[in-house]
């Protein structure tokens, strides 16, 4: 770290040093400090692939890249269902919750983050009950992942390094996955793993996608095909890439149980 700071003292416009400091701060869990370094590096060179990949990752988790819909939702205290208010439906009849969030995704209701279990056009069922006071006309916030995809695509256009390409393609895949665009997500997961089979997060994300898709197939043959492929990838993660990870083991157990 001292070497990178010294490099910046000598050359305040050194993009690589700014990016390296961002990586170090990110590894320490200092998200704000990391973002400041990455944005400074991106300002100095918008074509640095490493910087763009890290910015794509940051904005995947950020709520700054989101859409707010005011005065649209109601939920009872200790209830599981968020419903679109009749007043909002009259004002905005074309609004459809299914285009804004998918099962397994997240939303904010009056700034409180909640996990989604299922979605209908005018109703969202939460994974856990709403424990706050009842809401009669609340504001919903949904992630759009536009910045994630934009920075990842910039990274793809700025490098020939297979590992960075793999990471950028993974960022696009997870964004499409989160948005429910499963065919495009599948394509980008595959492309990511073609560049780097050791990309743990791409393997895990692709396994999650395959398992989810296995429930949508109409024939047992197709269901079993995707489920077996998902289990194979998770076992590869557990044995070769990231042994004894709780999330991986839980997902493997879930697939065998059901």
């Amino acid at each position: 770290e001292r070497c990178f700071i010294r490099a910046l003292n000598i050359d305040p416009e050194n993009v690589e040093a700014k990016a390296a400091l961002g990586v170090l701060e990110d590894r320490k869990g200092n998200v704000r400090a990391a973002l400041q370094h990455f944005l400074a590096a991106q300002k100095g060179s918008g074509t640095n692939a490493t910087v763009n990949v890290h910015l794509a990752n940051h904005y995947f988790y950020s709520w700054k890249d989101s859409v707010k819909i005011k005065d649209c939702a109601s939920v009872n205290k200790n209830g599981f269902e968020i419903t679109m208010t009749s007043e909002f439906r009259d004002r905005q009849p074309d609004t459809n919750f299914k285009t804004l969030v998918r099962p397994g995704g997240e939303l904010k209701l009056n700034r409180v983050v909640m996990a989604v279990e299922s979605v209908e056009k005018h109703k969202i069922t939460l994974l856990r009950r709403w424990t706050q006071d009842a809401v009669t006309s609340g504001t919903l916030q949904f992630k759009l992942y536009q910045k994630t995809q934009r920075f990842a695509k910039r990274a793809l256009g700025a490098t020939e390094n297979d590992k960075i390409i793999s990471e950028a393609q993974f960022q696009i895949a997870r964004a499409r996955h989160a948005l429910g665009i499963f065919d495009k997500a599948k394509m980008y997961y595959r492309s990511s793993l073609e560049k780097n089979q050791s990309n743990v997060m791409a393997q895990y994300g692709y396994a999650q996608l395959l398992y989810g898709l296995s429930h949508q197939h109409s024939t047992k043959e197709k269901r079993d095909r995707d489920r077996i492929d998902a289990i194979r990838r998770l076992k590869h993660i557990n044995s070769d890439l990231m042994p004894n990870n709780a999330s991986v083991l839980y997902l493997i157990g879930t697939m065998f149980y059901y």
Side-chain angles (χ1 to χ4, degrees):
E1 183 176 2
R2 289 196 298 269
C3 292
F4 295 132
I5 293 173
R6 185 178 176 185
L8 284 176
N9 289 334
I10 297 171
D11 177 13
E13 303 304 318
N14 189 311
V15 172
E16 286 74 17
K18 293 176 183 178
L21 286 171
V23 172
L24 290 176
E25 293 294 349
D26 188 56
R27 288 176 179 173
K28 290 188 289 186
N30 299 331
V31 177
R32 286 189 178 181
L35 179 61
Q36 289 176 349
H37 288 300
F38 288 136
L39 288 174
Q42 204 269 340
K43 186 177 180 181
S45 174
T47 59
N48 186 292
T50 300
V51 171
N52 280 305
V53 162
H54 280 284
L55 285 171
N57 183 69
H58 169 80
Y59 283 110
F60 182 84
Y61 296 104
S62 173
W63 285 92
K64 291 181 180 179
D65 183 23
S66 62
V67 60
K68 289 183 180 180
I69 305 179
K70 296 182 178 180
D71 305 326
C72 70
S74 64
V75 62
N76 294 325
K77 182 177 176 63
N78 294 320
F80 285 93
E81 294 182 352
I82 295 174
T83 56
M84 191 182 295
T85 64
S86 57
E87 294 84 357
F88 184 82
R89 287 203 304 270
D90 291 339
R91 295 197 310 271
Q92 302 285 343
D94 294 333
T95 301
N96 183 350
F97 284 154
K98 295 178 74 172
T99 66
L100 295 167
V101 68
R102 70 173 185 90
E106 290 182 326
L107 57 77
K108 279 187 178 181
L109 174 59
N110 290 355
R111 299 184 178 181
V112 179
V113 179
M114 301 296 293
V116 175
E117 182 174 38
S118 62
V119 187
E120 299 175 26
K121 183 177 181 180
H122 296 141
K123 183 173 71 176
I124 299 169
T125 302
L126 301 173
L127 193 61
R128 294 180 177 84
R129 69 177 71 247
W130 177 260
T131 58
Q132 312 286 323
D133 291 338
V135 176
T136 58
S137 186
T139 296
L140 287 177
Q141 193 170 347
F142 304 97
K143 291 183 180 179
L144 295 181
Y145 305 102
Q146 292 175 340
K147 288 186 178 180
T148 292
Q149 296 184 72
R150 184 164 71 246
F151 283 116
K153 287 178 180 178
R154 285 182 186 174
L156 287 176
T159 185
E160 295 181 358
N161 181 291
D162 283 350
K163 288 188 176 181
I164 297 178
I165 291 172
S166 174
E167 184 63 24
Q169 289 172 329
F170 160 66
Q171 295 295 340
I172 298 172
R174 77 199 306 209
R176 300 293 177 90
H177 191 171
L179 290 167
I181 310 172
F182 300 133
D183 55 340
K184 295 294 185 181
K186 191 173 186 179
M187 180 184 74
Y188 276 103
Y189 279 132
R190 283 178 169 175
S191 297
S192 172
L193 292 169
E194 285 174 4
K195 290 294 184 180
N196 180 16
Q197 283 288 326
S198 297
N199 188 327
V200 176
M201 295 305 295
Q203 289 281 10
Y204 184 73
Y206 192 24
Q208 285 183 308
L209 177 64
L210 289 170
Y211 181 57
L213 291 176
S214 71
H215 291 83
Q216 300 180 12
H217 293 312
S218 57
T219 65
K220 184 178 184 300
E221 180 183 359
K222 290 182 178 180
R223 288 196 298 271
D224 288 346
R225 179 198 63 198
D226 279 357
R227 178 174 163 275
I228 290 169
D229 191 7
I231 292 172
R232 177 181 64 82
R233 292 177 183 281
L234 291 170
K235 285 185 173 180
H236 171 55
I237 296 173
N238 187 55
S239 61
D240 302 324
L241 302 176
M242 195 167 56
N244 299 320
N245 177 271
S247 297
V248 174
L249 292 172
Y250 174 81
L251 192 53
I252 293 174
T254 300
M255 290 182 186
F256 276 110
Y257 182 78
Y258 292 103

